[in-house]
Amino acid sequence: DIVMTQTPLSSPVTLGQPASISCRSSQTLVHSDGNTYLSWLQQRPGQPPRLLIYKISNRFSGVPDRFSGSGAGTNFTLKISRVEAEDVGVYYCMQTSQSPTWTFGQGTKVEIK
Amino acid sequence: QVQLVQSGSELKKPGASVKVSCKASGYMFAAYGINWVRQAPGQGLEWMGWINTNTGKPTYAQDFMGRFVFSLDISVSTTYLQISSLKAEDTALYYCATSQGYWGQGTLVTVSS
């Protein structure tokens, strides 16, 4: 089974400053169809998860462009260019390359300093 | 717009059963599979499995074989999660989510005597 490991697990950030979260998979996430099914989810306090980024770097509908994703193979990064108060929450990376299984990282808590 | 609306919170005694519903709208129901995800209090996300909305075939993650059953009623675009022989450790938020990235609001199931 694929294991997803996120770092850091907690990220205190100053408003207006950037934030970065890393995610590493135990196996390559390159699917046999050539795509890499690595997504990022945001879960604000008391809210359900929300898809932010899919296939490494594609922003989902309505997601602000301050969110960006990058990476390849087994190493991936979510960046927030300038953190806003509404960005507080827990961020999860998720793989769906090993279909039909979904595997989540442990989550990274983003909070304001 | 795509919406997944889940049934309300449930309070059950140990040993009882519960059935959670997830009603889809805004898209062709059979186009996307429905996944179920569990989130224990203060914990991360755990994939439970999914149901193929074309064939009705369920697939369960290893830890969710036996007491957990996925079903669907195509006539009302609704998917169900039934949990039998409830235990205290089943207390959690249960989310449905499409394979295209849309999530329900979550259903809290509390198991307590």
Side-chain angles (χ1 to χ4, degrees):
Chain A
D1 290 358
I2 296 177
V3 177
M4 307 295 288
T5 304
Q6 291 182 226
T7 55
L9 298 184
S10 179
S11 179
V13 186
T14 301
L15 284 173
Q17 293 300 302
S20 180
I21 301 168
S22 294
C23 176
R24 177 174 296 179
S25 59
S26 60
Q27 303 173 30
T28 181
L29 297 185
V30 179
H31 193 272
S32 56
D33 67 6
N35 291 304
T36 300
Y37 295 99
L38 184 284
S39 301
W40 290 94
L41 307 175
Q42 175 196 60
Q43 188 174 31
R44 292 169 171 153
Q47 296 295 311
R50 164 198 178 198
L51 179 62
L52 292 178
I53 302 282
Y54 63 97
K55 287 197 284 186
I56 302 178
S57 60
N58 296 275
R59 277 188 298 276
F60 197 56
S61 175
V63 175
D65 60 7
R66 65 179 181 276
F67 291 94
S68 64
S70 62
T74 61
N75 288 282
F76 307 93
T77 302
L78 174 70
K79 292 184 179 176
I80 311 173
S81 59
R82 294 173 303 280
V83 171
E84 299 188 5
E86 66 180 20
D87 299 336
V88 164
V90 180
Y91 292 77
Y92 297 91
C93 61
M94 177 180 93
Q95 75 81 25
T96 56
S97 285
Q98 194 178 55
S99 182
T101 303
W102 291 9
T103 312
F104 301 96
Q106 319 96 299
T108 296
K109 188 173 185 178
V110 171
E111 52 193 358
I112 305 301
K113 277 184 187 175
Chain B
Q1 72 281 20
V2 175
Q3 276 195 303
L4 297 177
V5 179
Q6 298 184 227
S7 49
S9 298
E10 301 269 8
L11 174 60
K12 296 291 184 181
K13 294 189 183 304
S17 294
V18 69
K19 195 169 187 177
V20 175
S21 66
C22 170
K23 182 174 176 59
S25 63
Y27 71 99
M28 185 181 301
F29 182 64
Y32 307 139
I34 295 288
N35 291 260
W36 288 92
V37 174
R38 183 171 77 177
Q39 187 170 39
Q43 301 300 308
L45 304 172
E46 187 176 18
W47 183 72
M48 301 173 65
W50 77 297
I51 186 163
N52 185 317
T53 49
N54 263 310
T55 65
K57 179 186 175 187
T59 300
Y60 302 97
Q62 186 72 32
D63 289 347
F64 296 95
M65 291 181 178
R67 297 187 299 115
F68 301 83
V69 176
F70 308 145
S71 60
L72 56 82
D73 185 339
I74 296 173
S75 67
V76 288
S77 301
T78 299
T79 309
Y80 302 94
L81 162 65
Q82 183 161 357
I83 312 172
S84 58
S85 303
L86 283 162
K87 307 174 183 181
E89 50 264 42
D90 294 324
T91 294
L93 271 163
Y94 292 85
Y95 294 103
C96 60
T98 73
S99 52
Q100 298 306 104
Y102 296 93
W103 289 67
Q105 84 276 20
T107 296
L108 177 63
V109 175
T110 304
V111 184
S112 174
S113 53

